[in-house]
Amino acid sequence: MLNVEFNPFVRGRLTNHLQELKYLRHLGLQYCNHEGHIPMWIPGLSQLQFLGLGANRFEGDIPYDIGLLSDLKLLGLDNMNLHGDLAMFAALSNLESLYLQETFIEGDIKFLFMDLWPKLVEIDVSLCDLTGTLPTDCWDNVFPSLKVLDLHGNKLSGSIAPPPPVSPISGQPWELEYLALNGNQFTGMIPDTISHFGKLKHLDISDNSFSFQLPETLAELTNLEYLIAGNNDFAESEVPKFLIELTKLQELSVGQANLVGTIPVFLQYLSHLQVLDLHNNGLFGTLPAELASLTELRHLILKGNDLTGDFPSHLSELTKLHVLLVEQNRFHGSADAICDSGKIEEFVADCRATEPSESTSTHGDGVNKNTTGTREGPVGDFISGGNFPSPVTIPNGST
């Protein structure tokens, strides 16, 4: 075994002396600052089971003979300016982990669903140059042991085929825990049977052109911790009631998802939420005071709605809140409690200059802040006690 990953060597080429290690099984060189082309002698290390070259400065074409390392269980060529085609890895039938993300790997996505890697557990081909549509029978050939499938940031299109209840290959329940389809050009509806992925913890379908609505069967994904579905072409709907069943959620991001109505009080029961993103929807009404019970909340993003009422100063009670974005709403009143909490690193809101009150004080940066009262501005504005332009960004808890 040779494992020197995360060692920031002086930039240079990989030493040729390693080619003498004919019986080497583990070669871990990630994050070592190596540059140039991947040496042609690496495929000569025929006993390799682990080859991690990711996050170096290698560039150019991937040696085609890497596809002849038939004992490989893990191959990492990620985060480099490398070129190649998916087909070159077809013979690696023992692969358990394949990491090609953020490279210039090309090929038709259909190639991934040809039952070539029956032992595969994790595959990340995100931010590559993959094209095509998912086959209608794609799930029939998906490796039964697969836990991570990351296809985000490619040029994929078409619809998503409905997954069957169990893996057709093994006859066992699906093992999939992480599914990322975001940043493609998928269309159509999210299949109801996505609920068959009962072990799913991370689902990201954002930044596509999915239509209809989020299926209510998502309520069955009770292990889900991350649901990211914004920036799609969903039909108009209220915040889905089925979310109350997803009690393990740590992130709920459904910005620009054509949501209307009021922000439901039941969100208070998602007690593990760290990120709540509802931006650029058609939500109106007041912000429920019950959201102050979300004590784990770190990011609250509500900008671009039609929320009204007094500015929700009760959010200052959230001791872990770092980001609060509420601009482009119709709040009014004072944000003093937020500013004075000293905890929020980024706070953005609409406000306008006000006439000075009788008593003003100057805080650290020299900005005057009203301390005895504020004057409500016209619709769309509120003032947090200072002569700020609209909107105002208040970083690092200062005003």
Side-chain angles (χ1 to χ4, degrees):
M1 173 187 290
L2 177 60
N3 192 351
V4 291
E5 59 190 53
F6 298 100
N7 280 291
F9 292 167
V10 175
R11 184 185 304 180
R13 298 180 182 275
L14 191 60
T15 176
N16 290 331
H17 295 300
L18 294 178
Q19 65 184 308
E20 305 299 329
L21 305 176
K22 298 296 185 181
Y23 299 101
L24 193 65
R25 294 190 176 186
H26 184 117
L27 181 58
L29 300 172
Q30 305 96 299
Y31 296 92
C32 289
N33 214 20
H34 292 301
E35 63 180 10
H37 294 276
I38 293 178
M40 298 299 294
W41 50 260
I42 282 186
L45 303 176
S46 60
Q47 304 298 310
L48 280 178
Q49 297 181 8
F50 181 109
L51 178 58
L53 301 178
N56 281 287
R57 299 176 183 270
F58 291 124
E59 59 185 358
D61 292 335
I62 299 170
Y64 200 85
D65 285 349
I66 280 184
L68 301 180
L69 294 171
S70 58
D71 288 341
L72 273 184
K73 296 182 179 180
L74 183 146
L75 176 59
L77 301 174
D78 51 287
N79 294 276
M80 295 183 289
N81 293 325
L82 295 176
H83 296 261
D85 192 281
L86 276 178
M88 66 194 307
F89 309 111
L92 302 180
S93 59
N94 287 305
L95 272 182
E96 297 175 5
S97 302
L98 178 59
Y99 304 111
L100 302 174
Q101 67 268 27
E102 295 192 53
T103 62
F104 294 100
I105 298 292
E106 299 177 342
D108 194 307
I109 193 61
K110 292 182 176 66
F111 188 84
L112 286 184
F113 299 94
M114 296 175 63
D115 196 20
L116 298 172
W117 306 299
K119 301 177 182 179
L120 205 61
V121 176
E122 298 186 5
I123 181 167
D124 189 342
V125 288
S126 60
L127 297 168
C128 293
D129 284 332
L130 302 182
T131 58
T133 60
L134 297 182
T136 56
D137 62 348
C138 62
W139 305 115
D140 293 347
N141 296 315
V142 163
F143 349 100
S145 56
L146 189 67
K147 292 185 177 181
V148 174
L149 178 59
D150 193 340
L151 305 179
H152 88 263
N154 282 286
K155 302 170 184 175
L156 310 178
S157 57
S159 58
I160 307 299
V166 296
S167 166
I169 296 176
S170 68
Q172 299 297 315
W174 295 100
E175 297 292 327
L176 197 63
E177 297 179 1
Y178 185 107
L179 178 60
L181 304 175
N182 49 302
N184 284 286
Q185 300 156 22
F186 289 120
T187 56
M189 64 182 297
I190 308 298
D192 289 342
T193 58
I194 198 169
S195 60
H196 292 154
F197 295 141
K199 296 183 180 181
L200 206 61
K201 296 179 180 179
H202 179 111
L203 176 61
D204 192 341
I205 55 174
S206 62
D207 298 306
N208 281 288
S209 296
F210 288 118
S211 53
F212 298 92
Q213 298 176 356
L214 290 172
E216 293 186 3
T217 54
L218 287 178
E220 300 173 31
L221 297 178
T222 54
N223 290 304
L224 207 58
E225 297 176 4
Y226 300 88
L227 176 57
I228 308 165
N231 197 18
N232 276 290
D233 296 330
F234 293 131
E236 185 176 284
S237 70
E238 296 183 345
V239 177
K241 293 183 174 61
F242 68 74
L243 292 172
I244 196 172
E245 305 295 334
L246 305 181
T247 56
K248 294 183 181 180
L249 275 184
Q250 297 181 34
E251 177 174 352
L252 174 60
S253 292
V254 282
Q256 201 164 328
N258 211 11
L259 298 176
V260 297
T262 58
I263 295 178
V265 173
F266 68 70
L267 292 179
Q268 68 175 309
Y269 299 114
L270 304 182
S271 58
H272 297 288
L273 270 186
Q274 298 180 21
V275 176
L276 177 58
D277 184 354
L278 301 173
H279 81 274
N280 286 9
N281 283 294
L283 301 171
F284 55 84
T286 58
L287 188 65
E290 289 83 356
L291 294 190
S293 66
L294 296 174
T295 55
E296 297 298 315
L297 203 60
R298 289 160 169 78
H299 290 206
L300 179 58
I301 305 173
L302 303 173
K303 64 180 182 179
N305 283 286
D306 193 28
L307 301 173
T308 56
D310 290 335
F311 183 78
S313 296
H314 55 275
L315 297 177
S316 62
E317 301 170 15
L318 297 173
T319 58
K320 296 182 180 180
L321 190 64
H322 295 309
V323 175
L324 177 60
L325 308 181
V326 294
E327 70 268 30
Q328 299 170 15
N329 282 288
R330 293 196 293 156
F331 292 121
H332 57 78
S334 173
D336 287 359
I338 297 294
C339 298
D340 293 341
S341 69
K343 298 183 293 289
I344 297 182
E345 298 173 0
E346 184 176 1
F347 168 38
V348 184
D350 297 309
C351 65
R352 56 165 292 173
T354 62
E355 298 174 357
S357 63
E358 295 179 359
S359 174
T360 63
S361 64
T362 301
H363 287 237
D365 57 1
V367 176
N368 286 334
K369 176 184 175 186
N370 293 331
T371 57
T372 63
T374 61
R375 178 175 64 81
E376 184 178 333
V379 170
D381 293 313
F382 88 94
I383 178 65
S384 63
N387 296 321
F388 298 107
S390 177
V392 60
T393 301
I394 305 178
N396 299 323
S398 63
T399 57

